[in-house]
Amino acid sequence: SNLNSVKEVSLMEIYDRWGNRVFGNENFPINEPKYGWNGRFKNEELNPAVFSYLIIVLLENGEEETFTGNVTLVD
């Protein structure tokens, strides 16, 4: 899908390698860094590691699209 057709982020969750949720946010505008994950959990900087993400976006046509994958946090 064309990124311009994204209306908002319905859900964004980040999990550590053990499956603990370290970040979650819902229903926020795209391309707004203040709503995203800053690499912290409970106000503590996390050590470099690989984390999994789940992102569900709401498209202008009312459909949802899901993205999953990994992101590596570095120093």
Side-chain angles (χ1 to χ4, degrees), residues 8-38:
E8 70 174 12
V9 179
S10 299
L11 178 67
M12 178 177 174
E13 294 183 327
I14 308 283
Y15 294 89
D16 68 16
R17 60 190 278 194
W18 299 280
N20 301 306
R21 193 175 94 149
V22 297
F23 176 83
N25 199 0
E26 314 183 0
N27 306 320
F28 61 93
I30 61 169
N31 298 326
E32 288 279 353
K34 67 180 177 181
Y35 295 106
W37 183 45
N38 63 5

Short mmCIF file of all heavy atoms in Angstrom, two decimals, residues 8-38:
data_model
loop_
_atom_site.label_atom_id
_atom_site.label_comp_id
_atom_site.label_asym_id
_atom_site.label_seq_id
_atom_site.Cartn_x
_atom_site.Cartn_y
_atom_site.Cartn_z
N GLU A 8 -3.73 6.71 10.30
CA GLU A 8 -3.11 6.79 11.62
C GLU A 8 -2.53 5.44 12.00
O GLU A 8 -2.79 4.43 11.34
CB GLU A 8 -4.12 7.23 12.69
CG GLU A 8 -5.17 6.19 13.01
CD GLU A 8 -6.07 6.59 14.18
OE1 GLU A 8 -6.04 7.75 14.62
OE2 GLU A 8 -6.80 5.72 14.66
N VAL A 9 -1.74 5.43 13.05
CA VAL A 9 -1.23 4.18 13.61
C VAL A 9 -2.25 3.71 14.64
O VAL A 9 -2.51 4.41 15.62
CB VAL A 9 0.15 4.37 14.26
CG1 VAL A 9 0.65 3.07 14.86
CG2 VAL A 9 1.15 4.91 13.24
N SER A 10 -2.85 2.55 14.40
CA SER A 10 -3.84 2.01 15.33
C SER A 10 -3.17 1.43 16.56
O SER A 10 -3.65 1.57 17.68
CB SER A 10 -4.67 0.91 14.67
OG SER A 10 -5.37 1.41 13.56
N LEU A 11 -2.04 0.74 16.33
CA LEU A 11 -1.34 0.08 17.44
C LEU A 11 0.12 -0.06 17.10
O LEU A 11 0.48 -0.41 15.98
CB LEU A 11 -1.94 -1.31 17.68
CG LEU A 11 -1.29 -2.17 18.76
CD1 LEU A 11 -1.51 -1.56 20.14
CD2 LEU A 11 -1.83 -3.59 18.72
N MET A 12 0.97 0.23 18.09
CA MET A 12 2.41 -0.01 17.95
C MET A 12 2.88 -0.63 19.24
O MET A 12 2.69 -0.05 20.31
CB MET A 12 3.16 1.29 17.68
CG MET A 12 4.66 1.10 17.58
SD MET A 12 5.48 2.66 17.18
CE MET A 12 7.18 2.18 17.32
N GLU A 13 3.47 -1.82 19.15
CA GLU A 13 3.99 -2.49 20.32
C GLU A 13 5.41 -2.98 20.05
O GLU A 13 5.71 -3.42 18.95
CB GLU A 13 3.11 -3.68 20.73
CG GLU A 13 1.74 -3.25 21.20
CD GLU A 13 0.88 -4.41 21.67
OE1 GLU A 13 1.01 -5.52 21.11
OE2 GLU A 13 0.09 -4.20 22.60
N ILE A 14 6.25 -2.87 21.07
CA ILE A 14 7.63 -3.34 20.99
C ILE A 14 7.83 -4.37 22.10
O ILE A 14 7.42 -4.14 23.25
CB ILE A 14 8.65 -2.19 21.20
CG1 ILE A 14 8.35 -1.01 20.28
CG2 ILE A 14 10.08 -2.70 21.06
CD1 ILE A 14 8.77 -1.16 18.86
N TYR A 15 8.45 -5.50 21.75
CA TYR A 15 8.69 -6.59 22.70
C TYR A 15 10.17 -6.93 22.76
O TYR A 15 10.86 -6.88 21.73
CB TYR A 15 7.93 -7.86 22.28
CG TYR A 15 6.44 -7.70 22.33
CD1 TYR A 15 5.73 -7.22 21.23
CD2 TYR A 15 5.73 -8.04 23.48
CE1 TYR A 15 4.35 -7.07 21.28
CE2 TYR A 15 4.35 -7.90 23.54
CZ TYR A 15 3.67 -7.42 22.44
OH TYR A 15 2.31 -7.26 22.50
N ASP A 16 10.64 -7.31 23.95
CA ASP A 16 12.02 -7.77 24.05
C ASP A 16 12.10 -9.25 23.64
O ASP A 16 11.08 -9.86 23.31
CB ASP A 16 12.60 -7.53 25.45
CG ASP A 16 11.97 -8.37 26.55
OD1 ASP A 16 11.29 -9.38 26.25
OD2 ASP A 16 12.17 -8.03 27.73
N ARG A 17 13.29 -9.80 23.67
CA ARG A 17 13.50 -11.17 23.17
C ARG A 17 12.78 -12.22 23.99
O ARG A 17 12.61 -13.35 23.55
CB ARG A 17 14.99 -11.48 23.07
CG ARG A 17 15.69 -11.37 24.41
CD ARG A 17 17.18 -11.44 24.26
NE ARG A 17 17.65 -12.81 24.16
CZ ARG A 17 18.90 -13.19 24.28
NH1 ARG A 17 19.83 -12.27 24.50
NH2 ARG A 17 19.25 -14.44 24.19
N TRP A 18 12.36 -11.86 25.20
CA TRP A 18 11.63 -12.79 26.06
C TRP A 18 10.12 -12.61 25.95
O TRP A 18 9.35 -13.23 26.66
CB TRP A 18 12.07 -12.64 27.52
CG TRP A 18 13.53 -12.94 27.68
CD1 TRP A 18 14.12 -14.17 27.75
CD2 TRP A 18 14.59 -11.99 27.75
NE1 TRP A 18 15.48 -14.04 27.87
CE2 TRP A 18 15.81 -12.71 27.87
CE3 TRP A 18 14.66 -10.60 27.73
CZ2 TRP A 18 17.05 -12.10 27.96
CZ3 TRP A 18 15.90 -9.98 27.82
CH2 TRP A 18 17.07 -10.73 27.93
N GLY A 19 9.71 -11.69 25.08
CA GLY A 19 8.28 -11.48 24.88
C GLY A 19 7.64 -10.48 25.82
O GLY A 19 6.42 -10.33 25.85
N ASN A 20 8.46 -9.77 26.60
CA ASN A 20 7.91 -8.73 27.47
C ASN A 20 7.64 -7.47 26.66
O ASN A 20 8.49 -7.04 25.88
CB ASN A 20 8.91 -8.38 28.59
CG ASN A 20 9.23 -9.59 29.45
OD1 ASN A 20 8.33 -10.24 29.97
ND2 ASN A 20 10.51 -9.89 29.57
N ARG A 21 6.47 -6.87 26.85
CA ARG A 21 6.16 -5.64 26.13
C ARG A 21 6.88 -4.48 26.79
O ARG A 21 6.69 -4.21 27.96
CB ARG A 21 4.65 -5.40 26.14
CG ARG A 21 4.23 -4.31 25.15
CD ARG A 21 2.74 -4.18 25.10
NE ARG A 21 2.34 -3.13 26.02
CZ ARG A 21 1.28 -2.35 25.84
NH1 ARG A 21 0.48 -2.53 24.81
NH2 ARG A 21 0.99 -1.42 26.70
N VAL A 22 7.72 -3.79 26.02
CA VAL A 22 8.48 -2.67 26.56
C VAL A 22 7.93 -1.33 26.07
O VAL A 22 8.31 -0.28 26.58
CB VAL A 22 9.99 -2.76 26.22
CG1 VAL A 22 10.60 -4.00 26.86
CG2 VAL A 22 10.22 -2.77 24.72
N PHE A 23 7.02 -1.38 25.11
CA PHE A 23 6.41 -0.14 24.62
C PHE A 23 5.06 -0.45 23.99
O PHE A 23 4.90 -1.48 23.34
CB PHE A 23 7.29 0.55 23.57
CG PHE A 23 6.66 1.78 22.97
CD1 PHE A 23 6.73 3.00 23.61
CD2 PHE A 23 5.97 1.70 21.77
CE1 PHE A 23 6.12 4.12 23.06
CE2 PHE A 23 5.35 2.81 21.22
CZ PHE A 23 5.44 4.03 21.86
N GLY A 24 4.11 0.44 24.18
CA GLY A 24 2.83 0.31 23.50
C GLY A 24 2.18 1.67 23.37
O GLY A 24 2.25 2.49 24.29
N ASN A 25 1.58 1.93 22.23
CA ASN A 25 0.82 3.16 22.04
C ASN A 25 -0.26 2.88 20.99
O ASN A 25 -0.07 2.01 20.13
CB ASN A 25 1.72 4.31 21.59
CG ASN A 25 1.09 5.67 21.82
OD1 ASN A 25 -0.03 5.77 22.32
ND2 ASN A 25 1.80 6.72 21.47
N GLU A 26 -1.38 3.59 21.07
CA GLU A 26 -2.48 3.37 20.15
C GLU A 26 -3.01 4.69 19.59
O GLU A 26 -2.93 5.72 20.24
CB GLU A 26 -3.67 2.70 20.86
CG GLU A 26 -3.33 1.56 21.73
CD GLU A 26 -4.56 0.90 22.34
OE1 GLU A 26 -5.70 1.34 22.08
OE2 GLU A 26 -4.37 -0.06 23.08
N ASN A 27 -3.55 4.59 18.38
CA ASN A 27 -4.29 5.69 17.76
C ASN A 27 -3.54 7.01 17.78
O ASN A 27 -3.95 7.96 18.43
CB ASN A 27 -5.66 5.84 18.44
CG ASN A 27 -6.43 4.53 18.44
OD1 ASN A 27 -6.41 3.79 17.46
ND2 ASN A 27 -7.08 4.24 19.54
N PHE A 28 -2.43 7.04 17.03
CA PHE A 28 -1.66 8.29 16.96
C PHE A 28 -1.25 8.57 15.52
O PHE A 28 -1.23 7.67 14.68
CB PHE A 28 -0.45 8.24 17.90
CG PHE A 28 0.55 7.14 17.62
CD1 PHE A 28 1.65 7.38 16.81
CD2 PHE A 28 0.39 5.89 18.19
CE1 PHE A 28 2.57 6.37 16.57
CE2 PHE A 28 1.31 4.88 17.96
CZ PHE A 28 2.41 5.12 17.15
N PRO A 29 -0.95 9.85 15.22
CA PRO A 29 -0.59 10.21 13.85
C PRO A 29 0.76 9.62 13.43
O PRO A 29 1.63 9.40 14.27
CB PRO A 29 -0.51 11.74 13.89
CG PRO A 29 -0.51 12.14 15.31
CD PRO A 29 -1.00 10.99 16.13
N ILE A 30 0.89 9.36 12.13
CA ILE A 30 2.17 8.85 11.61
C ILE A 30 3.19 9.99 11.56
O ILE A 30 2.82 11.18 11.55
CB ILE A 30 2.02 8.20 10.22
CG1 ILE A 30 1.52 9.22 9.20
CG2 ILE A 30 1.10 7.01 10.29
CD1 ILE A 30 1.61 8.71 7.77
N ASN A 31 4.47 9.61 11.52
CA ASN A 31 5.57 10.58 11.39
C ASN A 31 5.57 11.63 12.49
O ASN A 31 5.91 12.78 12.25
CB ASN A 31 5.55 11.24 10.01
CG ASN A 31 5.75 10.24 8.90
OD1 ASN A 31 6.48 9.26 9.07
ND2 ASN A 31 5.11 10.44 7.78
N GLU A 32 5.18 11.23 13.70
CA GLU A 32 5.24 12.10 14.87
C GLU A 32 6.11 11.40 15.91
O GLU A 32 5.62 10.59 16.69
CB GLU A 32 3.83 12.34 15.44
CG GLU A 32 2.96 13.23 14.60
CD GLU A 32 3.24 14.71 14.81
OE1 GLU A 32 4.03 15.05 15.71
OE2 GLU A 32 2.67 15.52 14.08
N PRO A 33 7.42 11.71 15.91
CA PRO A 33 8.35 10.98 16.78
C PRO A 33 7.95 10.95 18.25
O PRO A 33 8.24 9.99 18.95
CB PRO A 33 9.67 11.74 16.60
CG PRO A 33 9.55 12.36 15.24
CD PRO A 33 8.09 12.69 15.08
N LYS A 34 7.27 11.97 18.74
CA LYS A 34 6.93 12.00 20.18
C LYS A 34 6.00 10.87 20.58
O LYS A 34 5.90 10.55 21.76
CB LYS A 34 6.33 13.35 20.56
CG LYS A 34 4.97 13.63 19.95
CD LYS A 34 4.45 14.99 20.39
CE LYS A 34 3.12 15.31 19.74
NZ LYS A 34 2.63 16.62 20.14
N TYR A 35 5.31 10.24 19.62
CA TYR A 35 4.41 9.14 19.94
C TYR A 35 5.10 7.78 19.82
O TYR A 35 4.53 6.77 20.20
CB TYR A 35 3.19 9.15 19.02
CG TYR A 35 2.31 10.36 19.22
CD1 TYR A 35 2.30 11.39 18.28
CD2 TYR A 35 1.49 10.47 20.33
CE1 TYR A 35 1.50 12.50 18.45
CE2 TYR A 35 0.69 11.58 20.51
CZ TYR A 35 0.70 12.60 19.57
OH TYR A 35 -0.09 13.70 19.75
N GLY A 36 6.28 7.77 19.26
CA GLY A 36 6.98 6.51 19.03
C GLY A 36 7.81 6.07 20.22
O GLY A 36 7.74 6.65 21.31
N TRP A 37 8.60 5.03 19.99
CA TRP A 37 9.43 4.46 21.06
C TRP A 37 10.78 5.13 21.09
O TRP A 37 11.43 5.30 20.07
CB TRP A 37 9.59 2.96 20.81
CG TRP A 37 10.34 2.24 21.87
CD1 TRP A 37 10.18 2.37 23.22
CD2 TRP A 37 11.36 1.26 21.67
NE1 TRP A 37 11.04 1.52 23.88
CE2 TRP A 37 11.78 0.83 22.95
CE3 TRP A 37 11.97 0.70 20.56
CZ2 TRP A 37 12.77 -0.13 23.13
CZ3 TRP A 37 12.94 -0.26 20.74
CH2 TRP A 37 13.33 -0.66 22.01
N ASN A 38 11.24 5.50 22.30
CA ASN A 38 12.52 6.18 22.44
C ASN A 38 13.62 5.26 22.97
O ASN A 38 14.67 5.72 23.41
CB ASN A 38 12.38 7.40 23.35
CG ASN A 38 11.96 7.03 24.77
OD1 ASN A 38 11.86 5.86 25.10
ND2 ASN A 38 11.70 8.02 25.59
#
